[in-house]
Amino acid sequence: MPTSAQREGRRSILMRKVDYAAMSDQELKRYFLEHRNDESAFQAYLQRRRQQSPGIIAKVGEPDFDTKIQAAITQKLQSTRKEHD
């Protein structure tokens, strides 16, 4: 019967073989949620989210603040719908 260190070693070998870059956003999210102890999956997920972050959309007080916010929300909703199709 394998020791816990051997089981852990096998588990980390399996985790290293996962190609996060080849996964779609939805696949990576699902994988991360199913493997919450996989630090590499967590880091890959965070990195992907940071890359997709739109940053500052508008500054309070800009004359077209509401328009920019509404456009950003619409764009996010459309991209989310495309991911689920």
Side-chain angles (χ1 to χ4, degrees), residues 52-66:
Q52 295 172 349
S53 176
I56 297 173
I57 299 166
K59 294 181 182 177
V60 176
E62 288 184 9
D64 56 349
F65 176 83
D66 290 339

Side-chain angles (χ1 to χ4, degrees), residues 10-43:
R10 286 186 194 139
R11 191 174 311 134
S12 33
I13 288 171
L14 289 174
M15 284 194 256
R16 278 187 251 137
K17 291 184 179 184
V18 176
D19 186 2
Y20 307 115
M23 294 181 182
S24 70
D25 292 344
Q26 192 172 12
E27 290 169 333
L28 179 56
K29 181 179 180 180
R30 187 178 320 117
Y31 180 86
F32 164 65
L33 292 173
E34 291 172 359
H35 301 88
R36 291 179 187 261
N37 293 328
D38 185 344
E39 182 67 23
S40 297
F42 176 64
Q43 292 302 322

Side-chain angles (χ1 to χ4, degrees), residues 38-50:
D38 185 344
E39 182 67 23
S40 297
F42 176 64
Q43 292 302 322
Y45 179 75
L46 286 180
Q47 181 180 19
R48 183 119 17 127
R49 295 292 302 185
R50 283 186 206 115

